Amino acid sequence: YDGILRDAPALVDAAGEERASELYQIIGDAYFQKGDYVSAASNLEEHISRAVRTGREGKYQLAYCYYQTEEYEKAVPLFKEVSRQRDRLGQNAYYLLGDTYIRQGEKKLAQAAFSVAAGMDYDRKIKEESLFNFAKLTYETTYSPFGEVIRAFQDYIEQFPASDNIEEAYEYLVS
């Protein structure tokens, strides 16, 4: 990645429009992999603005950059777009969309996003975290302490009995 970041920016000016778009994507990915989300975002934005077609992975990376830099209003539409496809990337996008909504104070929207992520089986850890977050949000946003709240925590306890959050889940269930 260091070699890309050293050499690729100088090539952008000499490249044609299509190649420049590809170089911005490569540079953005290198910054992304190094954890420099501000620089990654600016390069990925440039790539997306110039590209005829962009893949879901690039949009996910840009959404994640916005998420990491607390530009949640920019992250939401990209996470939504990526999550349309039911696969590992879509499940992850739904999970991060849920967390983004929490950070924006949108508990009901977060609850819905976590519910969808919890319903997918591509990544067991994301499923676990999503189901736990869904159950907690159901507890916080539901007026009746019965029915859906109890069912959500029972589902969590049944599916993840060895979870690090199991004691907390039982405490919610008892209360």
Side-chain angles (χ1 to χ4, degrees):
Y1 299 115
D2 290 333
I4 290 171
L5 296 176
R6 182 187 63 243
D7 298 337
L11 300 174
V12 171
D13 292 334
E17 188 65 28
E18 185 177 326
R19 293 290 181 221
S21 175
E22 292 172 7
L23 285 169
Y24 280 118
Q25 181 181 21
I26 292 167
I27 295 166
D29 181 60
Y31 278 121
F32 183 87
Q33 298 302 327
K34 292 182 67 72
D36 182 348
Y37 299 113
V38 172
S39 298
S42 67
N43 283 280
L44 292 170
E45 286 169 345
E46 194 65 36
H47 160 66
I48 289 173
S49 73
R50 293 170 178 251
V52 174
R53 238 182 37 187
T54 58
R56 287 174 64 232
E57 292 79 11
K59 290 177 183 179
Y60 173 84
Q61 282 184 325
L62 183 55
Y64 191 80
C65 290
Y66 291 147
Y67 170 82
Q68 288 292 358
T69 58
E70 300 179 5
E71 294 182 76
Y72 304 125
E73 64 286 339
K74 290 181 177 180
V76 167
L78 289 169
F79 279 139
K80 282 181 174 180
E81 189 174 338
V82 171
S83 67
R84 287 186 190 136
Q85 193 168 330
R86 301 293 174 123
D87 58 9
R88 181 179 293 272
L89 189 61
Q91 183 183 24
N92 199 358
Y94 265 118
Y95 173 77
L96 290 170
L97 181 60
D99 195 56
T100 300
Y101 281 138
I102 285 176
R103 293 167 190 260
Q104 292 179 309
E106 299 285 350
K107 290 183 179 183
K108 280 296 199 181
L109 292 173
Q111 181 183 7
F114 285 132
S115 176
V116 175
M120 295 185 200
D121 293 317
Y122 301 102
D123 185 318
R124 185 147 172 85
K125 187 66 178 165
I126 294 292
K127 180 180 181 83
E128 176 184 341
E129 290 297 319
S130 296
L131 184 54
F132 188 64
N133 286 328
F134 169 76
K136 288 192 312 184
L137 287 166
T138 302
Y139 178 84
E140 292 175 18
T141 61
T142 303
Y143 298 111
S144 171
F146 303 106
E148 189 178 13
V149 176
I150 291 172
R151 197 170 29 260
F153 281 109
Q154 284 177 334
D155 286 348
Y156 181 79
I157 290 166
E158 287 173 14
Q159 290 184 45
F160 303 101
S163 170
D164 292 340
N165 297 320
I166 199 71
E167 291 302 318
E168 187 177 355
Y170 275 116
E171 288 173 18
Y172 273 108
L173 193 56
V174 168
S175 68

